[in-house]
Amino acid sequence: MPHSAYRHTIGSTTTGFADLKDLLAQASPARSGDRLAGVAAASDEARVLAQMALAYLPLKVFLNYLVVPYETDEVSRLIVDSHDAAAFAAVGHLTVGGFRNWLLRDAADSSALAALAPGLMPEMAAAVSKIMRNQDLILVAQKCRVVTRFRGTLGLAGRLSTRLQPNHPTDDAAGIAASLFDGLLYGSGDAVIGINPATDNVTQVTRLLVLLDEIIERYAIPTQSCVLTHVTNTLQAMARGAPVDLVFQSITGTEAANRSFGIDLSLLAEAQAAALSLARGTVGRNVMYFETGQGSALSANAHHGVDQQTCEARAYGVARRFEPLLVNSVVGFIGPEYLYDGKQIVRAGLEDHFCGKLLGLPMGCDICYTNHAEADQNDMDVLLTLLGVAGCNFIMGVPGSDDIMLNYQSTSFHDALYARRVLGLRPAPEFEAWLQRMQITQPGEAFALREGLPPALREAVLRLA
C-alpha cells in the first residue's frame, strides 16, 4: 500500500502535503519531539491549515495508505491484517471531522464505542485526536470502559486503580517492603505491585518475584505482582519456576523501534503463552503489562518520519493483539526533548489515554516528568485530575512522588487518595473489600482511611520501622 501526496483547498488557499504522514505530522499540536524530528508544522497557521485539511479527509483513506509500508513493517501488517471491516462500517462513510462529531454524540455510548474499537486502525484514532480539544478527549475517553481481570477487576466505572511502585536504588528487600506496606496503608496497589529492578538479571528478578509473591500470599492480597524487566528475563524466570503473574515489556509503534528494544511480535506471543500456562489468575487471564511513551520511536531513530503521537497510537495496535491487563503511557518520562513542558505533557497524556481507550485498551498513565523538564507537580495535579475525570484505569503510586531509583517525578500514594476523594472514585472491588477486612479503610460510600495501624499489618509495619 503506497504513500500518496495530498492537496486540500480552503477558500483561495491550496495546501499541499507530501503524503499522509506529512499531513498527520503537521496537524499535530506543537511538541518538541516533532520539531526535533523535523516533521512539525512550520507555524501555528500551517498547523491550523493542516488540521482543517485533516478534518476533511475520509476515514477510508487510512485503509489504502499506510504511514509505514506494509511490506517492511510487521506492526503495519498486524494493523491491516487484524482490521475488522464489519465493525468499521459504522463510521466508514465519515471524514475525520465527521468522526469527531460522531464520537461526541450521546448515541456513541460505551456499548457503541466498544463495538467500534476493533474496526479502528491506530492512525484513525491519532488523526481524530489531533482535531479535538482537551475537553473532547476527556468526554469521549470517559465513555470508553475497558475492563480487565487477573486477581481483581480493573476498569469498572467509578473506580481508579493504582500501581504500587516500591522501587529501591539497591533492590534492598527491607526498603522495598517498607514502601510496599506504606502504599497498602494508603489503599494503593490494586492494579499491580510493580518493581523496576535496579539490577536487571534473571537471578535478581526471581528474588524480587519471590519477595512480592510471599507478601501477596501471606496477606491474601487480591492483586498481582510484576518485575519490570525485559521479556526475555521473564521467560527465563518462568522456566526456572519463578512465581510470575504479569509479563512486562516496553513497546512502540514500528518494527524497527521494537527491534531496538530486543523484541518482536513472536517473542511477545511466546511470553503471553508461557504466562497463561501458569494459570495464576483467580478471576481472569489478562497476563500482559505494556508501557509506552511518545518519543520512543524517535529516540531509537526508527520513526520513519511519522510524528510521535501517531507512532504512539501504533504501539496501542501492538498492545491490543495481546489482551493486556494494563497499558501504561509513561507520558513525561523520556524528557523535554520530546515533551518540553507541562502544557505539552498534559496534552500528550490526554491524547494517549483517549487513543488507547478508543482502540479498546485498559489505559493507565504514569503522570510524570523529569527534573530537567519545564514542568512541576502542579502540572501533574492538573493532568491527574483531568485523567481521573476521563476515566483513566490506573495511575502510579510512588512514595513521596519521587522515584529514588529511576530519578523522576511521578504521583504519590497521597495523590491517588486525593483523586479518589475529590472525584468519588474507589479501588477495584476485590481490593476494596480486602482493605476493609484488613481495617485499612472504613466501610461506606466514601473511600476513607481508618486512623492508626491496622491490627493485621501492625507486626509487619513495626518490624520494618
Side-chain angles (χ1 to χ4, degrees):
M1 296 183 183
H3 299 275
S4 175
Y6 182 74
R7 301 180 68 81
H8 186 76
T9 300
I10 303 171
S12 60
T13 302
T14 298
T15 306
F17 303 94
D19 50 27
L20 181 57
K21 66 182 179 182
D22 182 40
L23 173 60
L24 290 168
Q26 293 203 46
S28 285
R31 61 207 56 197
S32 52
D34 288 340
R35 290 197 297 272
L36 179 64
V39 301
S43 65
D44 290 338
E45 180 183 21
R47 181 174 300 107
V48 170
L49 288 171
Q51 289 170 341
M52 294 176 69
L54 182 60
Y56 284 99
L57 186 73
L59 281 178
K60 287 182 178 178
V61 167
F62 292 94
L63 302 177
N64 300 313
Y65 300 104
L66 299 177
V67 295
V68 183
Y70 180 95
E71 296 77 13
T72 59
D73 186 271
E74 69 171 0
V75 176
S76 292
R77 292 193 292 275
L78 173 65
I79 290 168
V80 171
D81 295 347
S82 61
H83 180 251
D84 187 330
F88 177 65
V91 297
H93 60 290
L94 298 174
T95 63
V96 173
F99 182 39
R100 171 189 174 272
N101 295 337
W102 186 93
L103 289 169
L104 294 172
R105 294 168 55 208
D106 290 339
D109 57 13
S110 297
S111 297
L113 292 171
L116 175 65
L120 293 179
M121 298 171 69
E123 293 87 347
M124 296 174 185
V128 75
S129 76
K130 296 175 191 296
I131 62 168
M132 298 176 86
R133 292 172 58 185
N134 286 0
Q135 66 173 246
D136 299 337
L137 300 174
I138 293 167
L139 174 62
V140 176
Q142 196 275 336
K143 296 191 289 185
C144 297
R145 306 309 319 177
V146 182
V147 178
T148 55
R149 297 174 176 87
F150 189 76
R151 293 199 188 102
T153 305
L154 308 178
L156 294 170
R159 306 279 176 171
L160 175 65
S161 297
T162 61
R163 170 189 159 190
L164 203 171
Q165 187 169 311
N167 293 345
H168 192 277
T170 63
D171 288 340
D172 177 71
I176 288 170
S179 293
L180 194 159
F181 283 110
D182 186 25
L184 291 175
L185 292 172
Y186 280 99
S188 284
D190 51 334
V192 64
I193 302 173
I195 298 174
N196 298 88
T199 304
D200 196 10
N201 59 61
V202 178
T203 299
Q204 182 69 351
V205 165
T206 300
R207 186 179 74 84
L208 294 174
L209 285 166
V210 169
L211 170 66
L212 294 180
D213 186 60
E214 288 177 347
I215 293 173
I216 289 172
E217 285 287 323
R218 178 171 181 178
Y219 296 101
I221 309 171
T223 190
Q224 36 283 328
S225 69
C226 186
V227 174
L228 282 71
T229 186
H230 193 270
V231 63
T232 53
N233 286 342
T234 304
L235 277 166
Q236 292 182 58
M238 283 190 280
R240 296 182 184 184
V244 173
D245 291 339
L246 304 183
V247 174
F248 167 82
Q249 183 55 49
S250 295
I251 59 172
T252 184
T254 72
E255 178 180 344
N258 282 326
R259 288 194 181 278
S260 78
F261 289 172
I263 63 167
D264 58 21
L265 298 180
S266 63
L267 180 61
L268 295 178
E270 178 187 353
Q272 181 190 32
L276 285 170
S277 72
L278 300 181
R280 291 177 56 83
T282 56
V283 299
R285 289 167 54 82
N286 300 112
V287 296
M288 304 299 283
Y289 174 16
F290 294 122
E291 286 192 346
T292 67
Q294 289 194 28
S296 57
L298 174 58
S299 69
N301 194 29
H303 59 102
H304 301 283
V306 180
D307 70 271
Q308 66 183 39
Q309 190 257 333
T310 301
C311 276
E312 173 73 2
R314 284 170 55 90
Y316 304 152
V318 174
R320 185 166 59 175
R321 156 68 177 80
F322 299 100
E323 301 179 336
L325 181 75
L326 308 165
V327 179
N328 179 32
S329 167
V330 192
V331 65
F333 182 76
I334 303 181
E337 300 85 358
Y338 306 94
L339 295 169
Y340 178 72
D341 57 14
K343 182 175 182 179
Q344 291 188 11
I345 292 171
V346 167
R347 174 69 190 189
L350 295 177
E351 289 171 347
D352 295 350
H353 179 252
F354 163 85
C355 287
K357 281 289 186 65
L358 194 61
L359 293 167
L361 289 174
M363 288 302 297
C365 189
D366 189 344
I367 302 162
C368 63
Y369 62 101
T370 58
N371 289 311
H372 62 309
E374 292 294 320
D376 60 27
Q377 213 65 35
N378 286 326
D379 296 311
M380 301 306 102
D381 288 348
V382 170
L383 181 53
L384 168 62
T385 306
L386 295 176
L387 286 172
V389 174
C392 188
N393 280 30
F394 69 100
I395 60 170
M396 303 299 108
V398 177
S401 76
D402 182 6
D403 192 307
I404 58 174
M405 195 280 282
L406 292 174
N407 292 310
Y408 79 115
Q409 308 304 310
S410 185
T411 47
S412 70
F413 308 137
H414 300 79
D415 295 331
L417 192 60
Y418 147 78
R420 284 171 171 166
R421 284 176 170 170
V422 76
L423 298 174
L425 302 172
R426 301 163 75 158
E430 298 89 348
F431 192 79
E432 182 180 33
W434 179 84
L435 291 171
Q436 292 178 9
R437 288 198 305 272
M438 299 297 285
Q439 300 182 43
I440 295 172
T441 61
Q442 303 178 33
E445 294 184 3
F447 185 72
L449 300 177
R450 287 183 179 272
E451 295 291 336
L453 285 176
L457 294 180
R458 186 185 303 275
E459 179 184 351
V461 173
L462 291 178
R463 185 168 61 249
L464 288 167

